[in-house]
Each structure stands twice: as structure tokens, then as C-alpha cells.
Amino acid sequence: MSTTFTIDTATSRATPTPAPMKRLTIPAVRARKGGEPLVMLTAYTVRMAQLLDPHCDLLLVGDSLGQVIYGLPSTVPVSLEMMCAHGAAVVRGSYHAAVVVDMPFGSYEGSKEQAFASAARIMKETGAAAVKLEGGEAMAETIAFLSARGIPVMAHVGLTPQAVNVLGGYGARGRSEAEEKKLIGDAKAVADAGSFAIVVEGVIESIADAITDAVACPTIGIGASARCDGQVLVTEDMLGLFERTPRFVKRYAAMADLVSDAAVAYAGEVRARSFPTADQTYRRAAAGPTAKTG
């Protein structure tokens, strides 16, 4: 059984209600190679998962929550505990999309055994369908180890934010012939190791196209190419909740302005003592509709 949610009108809070399993499976995701593009967005909370789930094939509980939710300078400080807590919330708030949880920096690089222990904890505590880890050829053996033990793995090549200190920033990858060769080699290595999909982030468009053509599993682009088998964005960037977003992000809304305008209106009513109280609202509801005259 999966879990979906209804709204309790007495409290206006989400309450869990069992629903038959309807989630997109990992084999079904893999089978979308070359077919209908995969839609993927990030989610970190129950409510956002509820809103996005009907429209997405995959929900990514990204370690980008370090910056988006916690105001950290990068994804590096994010802990396994954070990922488990937010991953469980997103699973509770969804029923259709396959939920993928990022493995945070330091939770999988030490050894295959460390990676399995971390991934197993994520799967047990969240109920997610898969984990995602960053890295190319160096992580291929780990991906094979996890996949052989029942843990589906989404790989991540190109601009890998956890390695920002080594990369020297968030610039696009693949500007040299040597880097192009390495990126394609990394993608082939993780695909051959058993990854069911690969996030391709921040690489030159022609290289993203070459990677998509070279691997048998779906590629999911972010600042890469429209020819990838799917796309992912940080939801808060897409919604325009931040003043500054990556150059490749299209803003589909201006939510920061809506929130600010609503807060301004609320603050004005509070200071003017003109906002309705619960007692006034109750009395109006009890009185019923205003009678028409004339």
C-alpha cells in the first residue's frame, strides 16, 4: 500500500489515508528511454509533494535542501538524518511518482559497504524507490554493488555539486576535449554498472546529446540538453521563490512576489486591527447567507 492524503476540514492539515499502489516503478522509468520524456522535480516537504505528485514521474528529495531549506552555503554539510527526514515526508505526501533520495556527501564514498549501509537506511526510513549518488567511473563499482543487493541507483554526472570544492565552482562542464571524453566515459561506466537513470547536469549541449545516445538508460538533464530523456529542476527555482537562480532555469511563476504581497496585506490588516477574528468568522457562518431584499 502507498499513502495519499486528504485534507481534514476540521484542522486544515493533511491526514494520511491508505490508497492502492499506483506509483511508477523503477523498471517503468528505465523503459522510458527514448520514449515519453520523464518529468522530475525536487520536493522536500509533504505539502509540496502533494502538489507536484500528480504531474511528475519522479520526485527527487535532493541534497539541494541544504541551500533551499536550511540556508547552507552548499550541499556538502547536509546529513543523512536530514535526507531521511525529508525523504519520509515526501513519500508520505505522494502516491504516483517514484521518489528518489539523494545520498549526502560523506555517506557513500568511503567504501561499497558504507554506501550500502547508508542506502539501506534511506530505503528503510523513507520508503523511497531509489537513491541517487554523484560521481562517474569512480562510483561504478559502488553502483554495481548496490544494484546487486536490491537498491536501485540513479547516477549523477557532469556538474556534481558535492564536488564543488574540487571543480572550483558551478560552471558548465565539457569545455575541453579531455573533459568531454571523461564525461562520456563516466556516463558509460555508471550505466554499465546498473544505474536505472543518469542525471546529466551543467554540461555542454552536444556532450549531453552524445551521452544520451551512448547509454541504454534514460538521461535526465538539468542545464544540459532538451534531447535528454527527461528534465529536472529545483522546484523553488522554477517557481521563482528566490531572487537569484541559475542561468539555465526558466521561471514558470513569480512566487516570491506573491508571498511578499500577501505578507504586506496581512501586516497592514494586523496593524490596522482590521483582520477578521475566528469569533467573527464563526458568527458569520452561523448566520448563514445574507437574505436578499427588493
Side-chain angles (χ1 to χ4, degrees), residues 112-116 140-151 193:
K112 303 187 299 292
E113 292 75 18
Q114 181 205 25
F116 178 79
E141 189 177 353
T142 295
I143 291 170
F145 188 85
L146 296 180
S147 298
R149 286 156 179 78
I151 298 178

Side-chain angles (χ1 to χ4, degrees), residues 84-233:
C84 286
H86 288 274
V90 170
V91 170
R92 288 195 298 270
S94 60
Y95 69 91
H96 165 259
V99 177
V100 181
V101 178
D102 262 340
M103 297 184 70
F105 178 73
S107 69
Y108 61 93
E109 299 92 337
S111 67
K112 303 187 299 292
E113 292 75 18
Q114 181 205 25
F116 178 79
S118 298
R121 178 180 174 186
I122 288 172
M123 300 288 281
K124 284 182 177 182
E125 294 188 15
T126 68
V131 299
K132 181 171 79 65
L133 57 79
E134 295 183 8
E137 187 175 359
M139 287 293 112
E141 189 177 353
T142 295
I143 291 170
F145 188 85
L146 296 180
S147 298
R149 286 156 179 78
I151 298 178
V153 180
M154 178 179 285
H156 185 152
V157 302
L159 172 58
T160 48
Q162 292 177 9
V164 64
N165 292 317
V166 172
L167 297 175
Y170 294 97
R173 305 290 109 186
R175 298 190 182 279
S176 69
E177 186 176 340
E179 196 171 35
E180 177 180 356
K181 183 178 179 181
K182 183 181 185 308
L183 288 168
I184 296 174
D186 281 342
K188 288 181 177 179
V190 296
D192 291 345
S195 298
F196 73 88
I198 305 171
V199 170
V200 181
E201 179 172 1
V203 304
I204 304 302
E205 186 173 356
S206 60
I207 299 176
D209 291 344
I211 289 173
T212 299
D213 292 337
V215 299
C217 64
T219 56
I220 299 176
I222 176 168
S225 169
R227 276 197 56 215
C228 288
D229 298 297
Q231 300 292 329
V232 62
L233 285 176

Side-chain angles (χ1 to χ4, degrees), residues 16 36 44 49 63 80 107 116 119 168 178 185 233 236 241 244 251 253 276 285:
E36 181 184 0
Y44 317 116
D63 58 2
L80 199 57
S107 69
F116 178 79
L233 285 176
E236 284 75 6
L241 278 167
R244 184 167 176 252
R251 290 189 180 192

Side-chain angles (χ1 to χ4, degrees), residues 13 22-23 56 72 102 110 164 166 199 261 276 285 287:
R13 296 189 183 277
K22 300 176 182 178
R23 288 191 190 276
C56 293
L72 297 171
D102 262 340
V164 64
V166 172
V199 170
D261 290 347

